Amino acid sequence: MPTEVIFRTATEKDVPAIVALLADDVIGAGREGASDRYLDAFREIDADPRNHLVVADIGGEVAGTLQLTYIPGLSRMGTERAQIEAVRVASAHRSRGLGREMIAWAIDQAKQRGCGLVQLTSDKRRSDAIRFYESLGFEPTHEGLKLQL
C-alpha cells in the first residue's frame, strides 16, 4: 500500500461511511438503506467488549471496514474464536492490497488476544471474495446455514 493505513475503532461519525460501504455492491444494495437502526446497532456494538467495529482510515477517509467479534466457547478445549464479518473496501481502494492488509490486521488482533481460531463467512454469490479468503489460507471446512427471521 503506497499510503499509510490507520486501523482504528469506528466512531459514530463513521457510521454513514460504513453504511455506504455495506451498500456498495449488488448484494448490499438490496439489503441496506436509510435507517435509524444503524446508529442503535453501532451503539450496541461499541458498548460490547467482545465486538470491535474497525475502519481502515487512509488520509482521513474511511477506505474499508470490518467487524471483529470474539466468541467464547467450550469446544476445542474452551478456545475463544474470532469472527470476521462485514468486510468491505471502498471501490476506489480495491485491488491495491487493502483487503489483504485488513484481514492480516484482524488475524493479528485475534492472535494477540489468544484466540485459537479465526473464522468468517461470505455469501456464496461473492465468488471473488471467497477466492480472496482462500488465497489468505482460509479453508471451506464447514457448510454455513442461515435462517432469515
Side-chain angles (χ1 to χ4, degrees):
M1 298 270 339
T3 307
E4 184 182 1
V5 179
I6 298 170
F7 294 102
R8 62 174 175 79
T9 300
T11 67
E12 199 166 299
K13 286 176 29 180
D14 295 318
V15 172
I18 294 169
V19 172
L21 288 174
L22 295 174
D24 187 27
D25 69 14
V26 174
I27 297 171
R31 65 181 180 207
E32 307 299 341
S35 174
D36 292 336
R37 293 172 52 191
Y38 291 111
L39 283 177
D40 292 339
F42 170 80
R43 289 173 183 139
E44 282 189 50
I45 293 165
D46 193 48
D48 184 343
R50 292 196 178 275
N51 275 287
H52 194 188
L53 185 59
V54 176
V55 294
D57 184 309
I58 298 178
E61 175 191 356
V62 174
T65 188
L66 63 80
Q67 183 173 338
L68 192 53
T69 302
Y70 300 105
I71 306 167
L74 290 176
S75 68
R76 298 175 180 254
M77 298 185 291
T79 296
E80 184 174 61
R81 60 188 68 207
Q83 174 85 20
I84 301 172
E85 285 290 327
V87 178
R88 299 290 191 283
V89 173
S91 57
H93 295 279
R94 291 182 190 146
S95 301
R96 298 181 181 179
L98 179 57
R100 185 171 298 276
E101 194 171 342
M102 289 169 54
I103 298 299
W105 180 89
I107 292 169
D108 187 56
Q109 295 299 299
K111 285 179 182 176
Q112 287 181 36
R113 187 174 168 106
C115 293
L117 180 69
V118 175
Q119 62 189 28
L120 55 79
T121 61
S122 187
D123 191 296
K124 288 183 178 187
R125 296 172 287 176
R126 296 184 192 277
S127 55
D128 289 341
I130 292 168
R131 276 192 300 278
F132 166 71
Y133 295 129
E134 288 176 341
S135 79
L136 297 174
F138 287 87
E139 298 175 356
T141 60
H142 291 67
E143 190 70 25
L145 305 166
K146 292 187 178 188
L147 175 64
Q148 296 294 324
L149 301 178

